[in-house]
Amino acid sequence: MILLIQICNKRFHYLEFIKPIEDVLKRNNIKFESIHYKKVTEDIIHKAEKIIISGTSLKDNGFIKDIDKFKWIKKFDKPILGICGGMHILGLIFNGELIKQQEIGLTFIDIKQEFLGYKEKIEVYELHNFYAISNEFNIYGGSKYCPQAVKHKKNPFFGVLFHPEVRNKDLIVNFAYL
Amino acid sequence: MKCGILFSGGKDSVFATYLAKKYENEITCLITIISENPDSYMFHTPSILKVKKQAEVMNIPLLIQKTKGEKEEELKDLELAIQKAKKEFNIEAIVTGSVESAYQASRVQKICDKLELDCFNPLWQKDQFELLYDLIENKFKIIITGVFAYPLNETLLSREINDKFINDIKTLFEKYKINPAGEGGEFESFVLNCPMFSKELKIKDSEISGKKNSWRMELEVI
C-alpha cells in the first residue's frame, strides 16, 4: 500500500493538490491510502510500503511550523516521494534550510542522471516560493534557478520541486512501481 | 474563507463556484472580465453579458472589468479587477475553473501571490469526462454557446450537456482528439440552471454567427 500524506491545511485545496495524485494512482490500479499529516499514526506508517508527501498552495504553508510531525521520516527506510512542499519537508527534516525562490508555470528542467524513469530535458509545472535542500541529498536535475529533482544519499527518498501530477504523471507511476 | 470567483458563466467557473460553496467558503463576489478581443488568451468571451442574470439568480455581487484583450494588457486588467475585489469585497482568495490550462492558471497564481491572496483551482487536472458526468449528476443545465475547432460546427450550438452529448463527444474525442470538456477552447458553454440558482434562466432570443468550424451563439436570457 502507498500512503499519500496530504499537507494542505485548507480543506478546499484537496481538489487541486491531492485528488490529481489520487487519480493517477487510481487510473493505474495502484492501492493507496490518503491521510492528512496531522492524522498520521505510527501504525499507518508501519503499514505503508511507500509514501508520497503532497504539495499545497503558495499561501498554505502551515506545514512548515509543524515540521516536527514529520520526524517519523528519520526512522523510515522505505521509498518516499516528496512533491514540492513534500520536498521542502524532506530537506528540512535532514537539516536543510528554506531558500526563497519563486517559479510559477511551465518551465524546462534538465535531468542529468536517471531519476524515476526520466533522464532528459522535460517540461514541468512549477508552483513554489521556496525550495529546501540538505547536504544529505544529491541533485539529479535542476531548472535555471534551483534544484528540481533530488535523492537522499543513503535512503530511497526522492524529492521533486515541480508538480509531476500536472505534466509528468508517469513519474508518480514509476515511483509506485519501484 | 472569503472568495472571489473568476466567473465567465460557463460550466467550469459555475461548477468551481458550486464547489467553493460546498467546501464552506463564503463567496463575496464574482469577477467577470469582458474582453473586446474574441480570441483572448485568458478569457471565455461568448455570452459573457448574460453573467449578470446568473449573478442575480445566485444573489452574489458581480464585479465587471473590461479589457481590450491584448496579451499583457488583459493581465493588467485582471490584476486591477482582483485588486478591486480585495478592497471592495474583502476577498482572501480567488477561485478559478481552470482544468488544464497552465497558461491561465499560472498567470492567476502570480497575480494572487502579488496581492497576497490564496488561489484555489478545484477542477485542476480533473478527468474531462468525470467533469461532464459530475455536472449532470449535480443537476447543472448547460448549453453549448460556441464551437471553435474542426470538425465541430453550428449543429452543436444550443445542445444541452447530457448523456447523449457526452456519447457524441466521446466519438469525436477518439477520432479527432477533441477535448471533451472543451477547455482547450474547442467549445464554450453557458449555465442555465444549477442548484445555486433561485430560478432557471430561459432563452428569450438567440443569434448565431460564424463560418466553417467557428460558430457563436449570443443569448438573451430572462
Side-chain angles (χ1 to χ4, degrees):
Chain A
M1 178 270 286
I2 289 189
L3 182 64
L4 170 58
I5 297 182
Q6 313 172 7
I7 66 163
C8 314
N9 277 315
K10 291 173 191 161
R11 213 167 60 87
F12 195 28
H13 280 310
Y14 163 83
L15 296 172
E16 181 177 354
F17 294 97
I18 312 300
K19 187 175 178 293
I21 302 172
E22 292 179 350
D23 286 347
V24 172
L25 297 172
K26 273 186 208 160
R27 253 176 253 142
N28 288 279
N29 299 315
I30 295 160
K31 232 179 112 186
F32 70 94
E33 278 182 43
S34 182
I35 189 172
H36 192 268
Y37 74 86
K38 288 181 180 168
K39 291 184 181 162
V40 161
T41 60
E42 260 183 49
D43 188 45
I44 196 153
I45 295 286
H46 183 71
K47 274 198 266 172
E49 290 159 43
K50 294 189 183 86
I51 289 178
I52 298 175
I53 308 173
S54 79
T56 188
S57 83
L58 296 173
K59 288 276 284 176
D60 185 28
N61 44 26
F63 65 91
I64 292 171
K65 282 187 218 131
D66 284 339
I67 194 72
D68 283 355
K69 295 209 181 323
F70 295 90
K71 275 185 177 162
W72 53 264
I73 292 173
K74 287 233 167 181
K75 288 186 242 155
F76 196 70
D77 57 3
K78 289 175 268 183
I80 300 177
L81 171 63
I83 295 173
C84 196
M87 177 181 169
H88 296 18
I89 290 165
L90 287 176
L92 291 173
I93 282 292
F94 291 101
N95 309 313
E97 57 173 327
L98 275 182
I99 300 162
K100 199 163 172 58
Q101 178 63 62
Q102 182 182 82
E103 284 176 294
I104 298 176
L106 293 175
T107 188
F108 281 96
I109 67 162
D110 209 356
I111 299 186
K112 296 198 187 297
Q113 285 182 68
E114 206 275 334
F115 185 89
L116 297 175
Y118 287 82
K119 187 186 181 254
E120 59 211 333
K121 207 170 181 182
I122 54 168
E123 194 176 31
V124 300
Y125 187 74
E126 307 274 2
L127 186 64
H128 62 88
N129 276 333
F130 295 91
Y131 69 95
I133 180 78
S134 109
N135 52 21
E136 293 188 38
F137 283 77
N138 287 321
I139 297 170
Y140 282 59
S143 64
K144 202 171 153 189
Y145 303 102
C146 42
Q148 292 284 338
V150 299
K151 183 170 177 262
H152 192 268
K153 287 175 181 167
K154 289 184 198 142
N155 292 315
F157 300 162
F158 301 83
V160 288
L161 192 54
F162 57 94
H163 285 266
E165 73 277 17
V166 180
R167 288 289 189 272
N168 320 93
K169 296 180 170 68
D170 281 354
L171 188 142
I172 296 171
V173 180
N174 295 341
F175 172 77
Y177 285 123
L178 267 186
Chain B
M1 233 181 163
K2 286 185 176 169
C3 295
I5 318 272
L6 290 190
F7 193 81
S8 71
K11 60 180 173 44
D12 299 342
S13 61
V14 184
F15 196 48
T17 313
Y18 176 74
L19 290 171
K21 216 168 170 182
K22 193 175 161 188
Y23 277 74
E24 294 164 353
N25 293 289
E26 184 189 345
I27 300 158
T28 55
C29 68
L30 306 174
I31 303 164
T32 295
I33 308 292
I34 296 187
S35 177
E36 289 168 16
N37 175 5
D39 303 314
S40 165
Y41 285 90
M42 284 292 289
F43 309 113
H44 164 175
T45 43
S47 298
I48 207 151
L49 288 170
K50 322 317 165 280
V51 298
K52 280 187 182 170
K53 287 282 173 201
Q54 291 172 315
E56 260 173 50
V57 293
M58 284 195 286
N59 198 21
I60 303 174
L62 174 66
L63 198 156
I64 293 179
Q65 172 75 42
K66 286 188 183 162
T67 179
K68 286 207 166 65
E70 286 151 10
K71 218 174 174 182
E72 295 309 316
E73 208 55 37
E74 66 181 3
L75 292 172
K76 277 190 202 150
D77 291 327
L78 174 64
E79 185 179 327
L80 204 69
I82 296 176
Q83 218 162 8
K84 264 192 225 162
K86 189 180 171 186
K87 207 173 155 196
E88 288 173 31
F89 298 99
N90 299 316
I91 60 166
E92 299 159 289
I94 284 291
V95 179
T96 87
S98 286
V99 183
E100 268 300 330
S101 170
Y103 179 87
Q104 261 182 8
S106 59
R107 270 138 190 95
V108 177
Q109 289 279 4
K110 279 181 193 166
I111 292 171
C112 288
D113 186 61
K114 190 174 163 192
L115 300 177
E116 295 184 330
L117 296 169
D118 207 336
C119 182
F120 292 98
N121 299 284
L123 308 182
W124 190 232
Q125 302 301 301
K126 193 171 171 76
D127 175 83
Q128 310 276 4
F129 286 109
E130 181 194 8
L131 173 55
L132 293 176
Y133 286 121
D134 274 4
L135 290 164
I136 296 172
E137 200 187 307
N138 287 288
K139 301 192 171 10
F140 275 62
K141 186 174 181 182
I142 304 157
I143 58 163
I144 301 299
T145 52
V147 294
F148 308 99
Y150 180 82
L152 307 179
N153 58 38
E154 73 276 25
T155 58
L156 275 182
L157 294 177
S158 84
R159 277 205 47 190
E160 194 176 326
I161 295 183
N162 51 25
D163 288 335
K164 167 108 178 46
F165 175 84
I166 295 178
N167 285 337
D168 292 349
I169 286 292
K170 264 187 186 162
T171 314
L172 289 172
F173 178 65
E174 280 152 21
K175 205 167 167 191
Y176 298 99
K177 301 279 172 235
I178 295 291
N179 181 342
E183 208 217 11
E186 292 89 345
F187 60 83
E188 282 168 351
S189 62
F190 185 78
V191 177
L192 289 170
N193 202 6
C194 75
M196 291 177 295
F197 287 12
S198 59
K199 63 163 194 157
E200 181 174 333
L201 298 175
K202 300 280 180 202
I203 299 170
K204 190 182 164 201
D205 203 2
S206 65
E207 198 183 309
I208 292 175
S209 61
K211 59 181 177 184
K212 290 183 183 167
N213 303 111
S214 180
W215 291 84
R216 283 214 156 94
M217 183 172 73
E218 276 307 320
L219 295 178
E220 195 185 337
V221 292
I222 47 169

